[in-house]
Amino acid sequence: MAVLRHFVSGQCGCHRVSDRSTVHGVASPRRPARLTSPTLIGRSDELDRLTATVARHPAFSVVEGEAGIGKTRLLAELRDRPELEGHRFLVGGCRQIREPFPLGPVVDALRRLEGGLDDSELPPATGALHPLLPELADRLPAPLDPLTDRAAERHRVFRGITELLGSLGPTVLAIEDVHWIDEHTVDFLSHLLVKPPADLTVLLTFRGDDAPTGVRALSSTPGLSVSQLHLVLEPLDVADTGALASALLDVDEVSDEFARFLRERTSGLPLAIQELLALLRVRGTLVRRGSGWTRKALGELEVPSGVRDQVLERVRGLTPEARAVTEAAAVLQLPTPLSTLVETCRSSDDQALRGLDETLQSGLLVERQKLLGFRHLLAAQAVYESIPLLRRQDLHRRAATALDKLWPVPLGQVAHHRGLAGQPGPWIEAAERAADQAIETGDDVEAARLLEQLIRHDALDSEQRTRIAVKLGRVALEAPRPAELIGPLSEALEHEADIPQAARGKLHFWLGLLLHQTGRDPERQRSLLATAVEELDDQPALRASAMVCLALGSSASDSIPLTWVRRASEILPEIDDPAYEVLLQSKVGAVMVTAGDPDWREAAARITAQTDGQPQDRHEVRAYSTIGRRAGWAGHHELAGDWLSRALAAQETRDDERLARRLRTDLAVLDFFRGEWNGLRERIDGYREQYAERPRIRIDADAVGGRLALAEGDTDRATQRLDELLVGIEKLEAVDLVPMAVDVRIRLALAHDDTSAAAEAADQLREATAAADIWPAATRAVPTSTEALVAAGRAEDAAAWLTTIEASLEGLDAPLAAAALEHSRGLLAEPDERWDEAAEHFAAAAASYDALHCPYEAAGARERAAQARFAGDLPDADRWLHDAAGSYQDLGALYDLDRAAVLAREHDVSLPARHRGGRRGYGDELSPREREVAELAAAGLSNKEIAEKLFVSVNTVKKQISAAMRKLGVRSRTALPDEIGVS
């Protein structure tokens, strides 16, 4: 530790002033040095931008930066800006130690309204907030009758909070530390930001490296009418570090050399600068520690070594009573009431109160909203890590006892402290209580986190382990990394003979379902589910679910999945939950539609009848999603769009963001089939990232992503997606996706003139289709596999393949079959130069594809028709080529457009100049045609009327309205008038 005596004003340029002296090169104030700077240093630009955004409400702002960078200070400065005079600030914070209490940060912020509401009448919907905000009971309207549907109740709470915020006038809802946010609060913010109240700004602060995916995704939620700003706070540079030091030390300026010294040793982190200078005030000297600045990870919160040393140096200067208070506050971590802090201290009440006064005067601890805690978590973490283990465990025991006396009991905190106190029995009890509360409130993510900790504990007896394993199995899919729970759940079954049958059956089912959803060990998942079927005699819902999973995961032959779903259908009437029965009925229908069984329509009709065509319950929304997704893959594009649209419309009133993401993924896949490709690649890539831990969902995005990449001309990305798809197919035994993989593989092989590889892929499709009876799914690759065999000189094999396909599809509901077979017959006519016949088959295929809303496939058939007409010297060849090229241009299928251009040059046909950006050239702005169509739709015209007025197809109108709604950030056609400005 060296004293820096060379930092003197005469040597380093620090200006002397008449009323100040100097201490080792820095002017020493006659008044006590400040704990915080009176002015904001180095953030004026960020504050101006943030103020301007908040003033243009509705607004959504994000402030990102590492711990100690100054996010809270920036928010405090924002409140004092004159431009925001009259704005109400409601501030809540997320906590590292979570409570199984939904919307905690939002409720904390709203509690600031106590005594701050005027006498105006609040909207009736705010009556739903009585359980959350008892402090406002005298101001809220009458309580609403409770609902039995948890999701519907949650939506009503979301609506009540939104309407309460909308009634407050200009308001800033600030949620700090959202890197610790819970799933419920993410879902609420997603709901709120879709169409926030006109006078509201939502402001979030978080540490960027720790932000969960859901927080990042919020930035894509607000509509275009919402002002947005994302600020990333950077460390201070040398000049700003010097300015902050001057302000904290209350001097005019410090030397450049001293500023550089501070910047090097604090990395420009404002909190580190503050703590270092606070230490200098205590010691009366300037200290250099070590040769440089280092950082190391300590738990979940990184504490710079310089901050740690400075904080501990300050603590060592306190009296024993004050040090005891800092240790208690560090162990508690979160701000707590006075009684809890005093009871946690390892001293008498009088000593604790004296010590508290000292820590408050020192600035280490602060009081906010009647709660006491460290000024910053970095300081708390530094003190915590300095406490010897045995004393730390004792403090955790005292903290748990003190917190257990609060009402309501913060179960999450109690469990946290019991665990760190080394009390396995009390910890198990507290953690399980907290998990039960989380399940009861619908916070499955938090429940999974707690139960995962429990199941891994060695102190559980067999009864506890079984009970906890069953609970964990129920919520395991909501865990951040669900596949990691397979091991603990498997261990719980090691002594299954000692487990009661009912619990054993549930464990077999939940573990089998977890394996199914994470794509692990298909053979074992089938064994577990089959065993569950035999053990769940008194659980018809779970028993039928196991049968459906067996059907969905079957890889043998078509008869096996249909056998399972028919067995499930027999026990569906025994299920006493109508909504869950609807969900299982949808899975039965999904298996049938995949197999081409016409009876799937009866299953769908029963669902429609039971729900009156409008899903309400979450299970019903999932049912419509399931039918819609499978129908889309089978080629029932119009029906799929209807079912998925109804599901999404219903979900919008329920605010289940996870289900919404799944629905948007399903719609993105359907958009590929329907040729609605504007912005699709970005959407598909986003869903692939979101579902990295959900391979059964992600594989759909991989399947269409490869074909989309190839159509756009990105063969490298197409190859990468194909490789990922093949891995997923093998891992999940998803044989129904083999045709999509073969299609991409053949197209890539033919693009490189590798007819041998293309034919080999076609042979693999033939083998897989015959082995697994996936004839309806195979129709998507029938034309390309036929083309591959013909190109390899194996026309006879291709003809035999078509004969087999046609016979196998007889009696099955396979909508793509007619178009695919016509397309393939055209390809078979080409080697014999039967150009008239080939052209007719291609024309028939194009018409069938048009009827199914498959513009990409239709364009391919038209291109082949043009090619046949050119070869046979038939009329209208150039018109067919123009139509094909126009479709490719509209789609953005640049690879295919280039191929069509080659054909055009060969026959001296002029095509419109290629616009390489396609419709994407307008970015997030409406193209002229999209605006024209949106204005007509906003004026009340139907799609058919718009098509007739503009001389385009109805399908084109639908695509343009869809693109316009996506760009405008609206989800309903009825919202277009407000966005377009049509009255």
Side-chain angles (χ1 to χ4, degrees):
M1 187 166 59
V3 178
L4 307 179
R5 300 189 182 280
H6 57 286
F7 288 127
V8 295
S9 59
Q11 295 170 320
C12 302
C14 210
H15 296 297
R16 296 287 299 272
V17 291
S18 60
D19 62 339
R20 302 181 183 180
S21 59
T22 61
V23 177
H24 301 302
V26 181
S28 176
R30 293 176 178 172
R31 299 181 301 277
R34 301 183 175 99
L35 295 171
T36 58
S37 170
T39 58
L40 186 67
I41 304 296
R43 306 288 188 220
S44 58
D45 179 61
E46 290 90 341
L47 181 59
D48 288 343
R49 293 171 60 199
L50 186 58
T51 303
T53 301
V54 172
R56 294 195 303 269
H57 43 69
F60 174 55
S61 298
V62 169
V63 180
E64 176 182 345
E66 63 181 304
I69 200 70
K71 302 182 291 293
T72 299
R73 176 61 188 270
L74 186 68
L75 176 57
E77 292 288 332
L78 181 70
R79 302 177 72 153
D80 296 332
R81 288 296 289 250
E83 300 96 316
L84 302 181
E85 183 178 359
H87 282 63
R88 189 191 303 260
F89 279 75
L90 303 176
V91 183
C94 304
R95 298 177 177 181
Q96 186 176 15
I97 306 173
R98 291 185 186 173
E99 288 301 318
F101 184 75
L103 304 175
V106 178
V107 172
D108 284 347
L110 293 176
R111 283 175 177 156
R112 311 292 171 91
L113 290 172
E114 185 177 3
L117 290 173
D118 57 32
D119 295 329
S120 58
E121 186 174 344
L122 293 174
T126 59
L129 305 182
H130 277 273
L132 295 180
L133 297 170
E135 301 89 346
L136 305 182
D138 59 335
R139 289 291 300 113
L140 296 173
L144 304 180
D145 293 334
L147 299 176
T148 56
D149 184 346
R150 181 190 298 168
E153 182 71 48
R154 185 178 70 157
H155 169 66
R156 193 162 68 174
V157 169
F158 284 7
R159 181 184 170 194
I161 296 175
T162 302
E163 295 203 12
L164 175 60
L165 292 169
S167 69
L168 299 177
T171 300
V172 177
L173 174 65
I175 306 296
E176 295 192 275
D177 298 324
V178 298
H179 42 272
W180 290 322
I181 199 167
D182 61 279
E183 197 77 17
H184 277 263
T185 305
V186 172
D187 289 347
F188 168 70
L189 292 174
S190 297
H191 162 86
L192 180 66
L193 290 170
V194 169
K195 195 169 184 179
D199 290 334
L200 179 69
T201 291
V202 177
L203 192 157
L204 309 179
T205 73
F206 64 90
R207 298 204 307 259
D209 292 342
D210 300 328
T213 304
V215 171
R216 297 286 188 186
L218 287 174
S219 61
S220 63
T221 302
L224 295 179
S225 62
V226 179
S227 303
Q228 291 196 56
L229 177 66
H230 187 157
L231 285 178
V232 179
L233 300 185
E234 302 291 346
L236 301 181
D237 59 18
V238 172
D240 287 333
T241 298
L244 178 58
S246 300
L248 290 170
L249 295 172
D250 197 17
V251 298
D252 290 339
E253 63 179 353
V254 298
S255 68
D256 292 342
E257 190 173 359
F258 181 51
R260 284 193 298 273
F261 163 78
L262 283 177
R263 178 62 177 78
E264 290 171 359
R265 281 143 185 83
T266 64
S267 295
L269 194 68
L271 177 68
I273 298 168
Q274 172 186 310
E275 291 296 333
L276 175 59
L277 293 177
L279 176 62
L280 299 182
R281 182 197 65 176
V282 173
R283 295 179 59 87
T285 186
L286 299 178
V287 177
R288 182 199 300 269
R289 290 189 176 275
S291 60
W293 177 266
T294 61
R295 298 177 67 91
K296 69 174 182 176
L298 298 171
E300 293 189 27
L301 185 64
E302 291 186 357
V303 183
S305 59
V307 171
R308 184 187 63 245
D309 293 344
Q310 296 148 26
V311 170
L312 296 182
E313 186 75 17
R314 293 177 65 189
V315 171
R316 282 193 287 270
L318 300 174
T319 63
E321 292 90 346
R323 287 200 299 272
V325 173
T326 63
E327 289 186 351
V331 165
L332 285 164
Q333 189 182 101
L334 303 177
T336 55
L338 172 63
S339 60
T340 303
L341 178 58
V342 169
E343 189 171 349
T344 302
C345 285
R346 298 179 44 157
S347 58
S348 69
D349 291 356
D350 289 342
Q351 290 173 323
L353 291 173
R354 287 197 300 272
L356 178 60
D357 283 342
E358 185 178 348
T359 58
L360 290 172
Q361 291 175 6
S362 73
L364 279 168
L365 267 59
V366 294
E367 185 272 331
R368 297 189 181 101
Q369 299 294 318
K370 300 179 182 179
L371 298 177
L372 298 159
F374 273 86
R375 180 181 297 277
H376 200 286
L377 280 175
L378 283 175
Q381 189 76 6
V383 173
Y384 179 84
E385 290 164 357
S386 72
I387 305 172
L389 175 61
L390 293 180
R391 189 157 81 232
R392 189 190 309 168
Q393 288 182 327
D394 180 57
L395 284 166
H396 278 296
R397 284 192 289 271
R398 299 174 67 90
T401 300
L403 290 165
D404 225 347
K405 297 177 181 178
L406 298 178
W407 184 259
V409 179
L411 293 173
Q413 294 181 54
V414 172
H416 169 81
H417 291 294
R418 292 293 183 200
L420 293 175
Q423 297 177 301
W427 171 72
I428 291 169
E429 179 184 354
E432 189 173 3
R433 286 170 61 203
D436 289 343
Q437 185 183 70
I439 292 172
E440 180 63 27
T441 58
D443 191 353
D444 289 346
V445 175
E446 178 65 7
R449 185 187 68 82
L450 290 164
L451 291 167
E452 179 180 358
Q453 292 179 353
L454 281 165
I455 199 69
R456 296 183 186 279
H457 203 281
D458 295 333
L460 297 178
D461 59 36
S462 59
E463 182 180 347
Q464 289 173 322
R465 187 172 300 279
T466 299
R467 184 177 67 248
I468 289 167
V470 170
K471 293 177 182 179
L472 177 59
R474 177 183 169 189
V475 298
L477 287 172
E478 303 303 326
R481 291 171 293 278
E484 295 182 4
L485 301 182
I486 293 172
L489 290 177
S490 298
E491 292 172 9
L493 275 169
E494 286 181 354
H495 304 288
E496 59 183 82
D498 300 327
I499 301 174
Q501 178 176 314
R504 190 169 66 243
K506 291 178 181 178
L507 267 177
H508 282 132
F509 170 71
W510 291 122
L511 181 54
L513 180 63
L514 182 60
L515 289 168
H516 176 76
Q517 293 294 332
T518 56
R520 305 299 175 97
D521 201 343
E523 184 176 348
R524 186 184 178 209
Q525 71 179 251
R526 287 192 290 270
S527 174
L528 287 164
L529 291 169
T531 302
V533 168
E534 302 304 319
E535 294 174 332
L536 293 169
D537 292 334
D538 60 342
Q539 298 282 330
L542 295 185
R543 191 162 182 251
S545 296
M547 292 177 181
V548 169
C549 286
L550 282 165
L552 292 171
S554 177
S555 63
S557 70
D558 191 49
S559 60
I560 290 179
L562 288 177
T563 298
W564 280 118
V565 297
R566 289 189 174 113
R567 286 185 61 185
S569 296
E570 293 173 0
I571 61 174
L572 289 184
E574 300 176 26
I575 298 174
D576 57 8
D577 183 346
Y580 195 72
E581 180 186 354
V582 166
L583 175 60
L584 290 180
Q585 186 69 67
S586 75
K587 294 181 182 295
V588 168
V591 173
M592 289 179 169
V593 72
T594 301
D597 187 336
D599 288 346
W600 82 270
R601 295 178 184 272
E602 292 183 14
R606 284 194 289 272
I607 293 172
T608 303
Q610 288 178 267
T611 60
D612 293 327
Q614 296 298 328
Q616 301 294 331
D617 179 272
R618 183 173 187 266
H619 289 321
E620 294 174 356
V621 174
R622 290 176 59 199
Y624 274 66
S625 169
T626 299
I627 288 284
R629 177 170 59 256
R630 288 299 184 117
W633 276 99
H636 301 281
H637 300 152
E638 197 70 15
L639 285 170
D642 180 52
W643 280 71
L644 291 174
S645 296
R646 293 191 200 189
L648 188 60
Q651 183 280 329
E652 287 173 356
T653 68
R654 305 184 58 77
D655 304 293
D656 186 334
E657 181 56 28
R658 282 168 289 176
L659 181 54
R661 286 197 297 268
R662 179 63 196 268
L663 282 166
R664 287 194 286 266
T665 304
D666 295 337
L667 283 167
V669 171
L670 185 60
D671 283 347
F672 171 77
F673 294 143
R674 297 187 298 189
E676 298 177 11
W677 292 4
N678 190 25
L680 184 59
R681 177 171 60 82
E682 293 79 6
R683 292 162 60 200
I684 290 291
D685 287 346
Y687 299 141
R688 291 181 67 258
E689 291 298 320
Q690 289 177 10
Y691 289 113
E693 296 290 332
R694 298 290 193 277
R696 284 203 174 272
I697 303 176
R698 174 170 170 161
I699 195 171
D700 288 1
D702 283 335
V704 301
R707 281 193 61 182
L708 182 63
L710 183 56
E712 291 180 334
D714 191 342
T715 55
D716 289 341
R717 185 161 54 91
T719 302
Q720 179 184 355
R721 294 291 179 268
L722 174 61
D723 292 341
E724 293 164 348
L725 176 59
L726 292 173
V727 170
I729 288 172
E730 181 178 5
K731 181 178 179 181
L732 302 173
E733 295 189 1
V735 292
D736 55 316
L737 293 182
V738 168
M740 288 289 286
V742 168
D743 182 78
V744 176
R745 185 178 171 191
I746 290 175
R747 291 172 186 266
L748 284 168
L750 292 178
H752 294 93
D753 294 323
D754 191 345
T755 56
S756 177
E760 180 184 351
D763 288 336
Q764 290 174 343
L765 175 64
R766 295 163 69 194
E767 294 171 7
T769 304
D773 278 344
I774 52 171
W775 303 104
T779 56
R780 289 198 178 274
V782 166
T784 46
S785 59
T786 302
E787 182 179 4
L789 293 172
V790 170
R794 296 169 54 191
E796 291 184 2
D797 289 341
W801 166 232
L802 288 190
T803 300
T804 302
I805 282 279
E806 191 167 10
S808 301
L809 289 172
E810 186 175 354
L812 298 183
D813 189 358
L816 289 169
L821 289 170
E822 287 286 4
H823 196 148
S824 299
R825 292 186 187 109
L827 293 167
L828 276 175
E830 289 181 336
D832 298 330
E833 298 185 357
R834 291 178 279 126
W835 304 118
D836 284 351
E837 184 180 340
E840 289 177 5
H841 284 306
F842 290 133
S848 294
Y849 283 132
D850 284 339
L852 294 170
H853 304 291
C854 302
Y856 180 57
E857 289 79 2
R862 287 189 169 89
E863 182 190 353
R864 297 302 297 223
Q867 190 172 350
R869 289 180 174 276
F870 281 126
D873 198 21
L874 302 174
D876 293 332
D878 54 348
R879 178 174 64 81
W880 284 87
L881 185 56
H882 269 279
D883 289 347
S887 296
Y888 290 146
Q889 179 90 308
D890 288 342
L891 289 163
L894 304 183
Y895 175 83
D896 303 274
L897 182 60
D898 286 344
R899 186 183 59 244
V902 171
L903 181 61
R905 286 194 296 271
E906 289 176 355
H907 296 278
D908 199 24
V909 174
S910 176
L911 294 179
R914 167 175 161 178
H915 172 45
R916 293 183 177 271
R919 290 175 297 169
R920 298 170 180 79
Y922 291 100
D924 290 332
E925 300 295 326
L926 298 184
S927 69
R929 178 48 65 91
E930 286 168 349
R931 176 166 292 279
E932 184 178 18
V933 169
E935 288 174 349
L936 293 172
L941 274 68
S942 68
N943 288 353
K944 183 178 179 181
E945 291 169 336
I946 296 172
E948 292 173 350
K949 187 176 182 67
L950 299 179
F951 302 99
V952 295
S953 71
V954 173
N955 194 42
T956 297
V957 172
K958 289 174 63 177
K959 289 192 292 185
Q960 290 169 339
I961 289 178
S962 175
M965 290 171 61
R966 188 159 49 243
K967 291 181 179 182
L968 292 171
V970 300
R971 299 181 180 179
S972 169
R973 190 178 179 126
T974 59
L976 282 173
D978 292 337
E979 300 296 331
I980 294 294
V982 176
S983 58

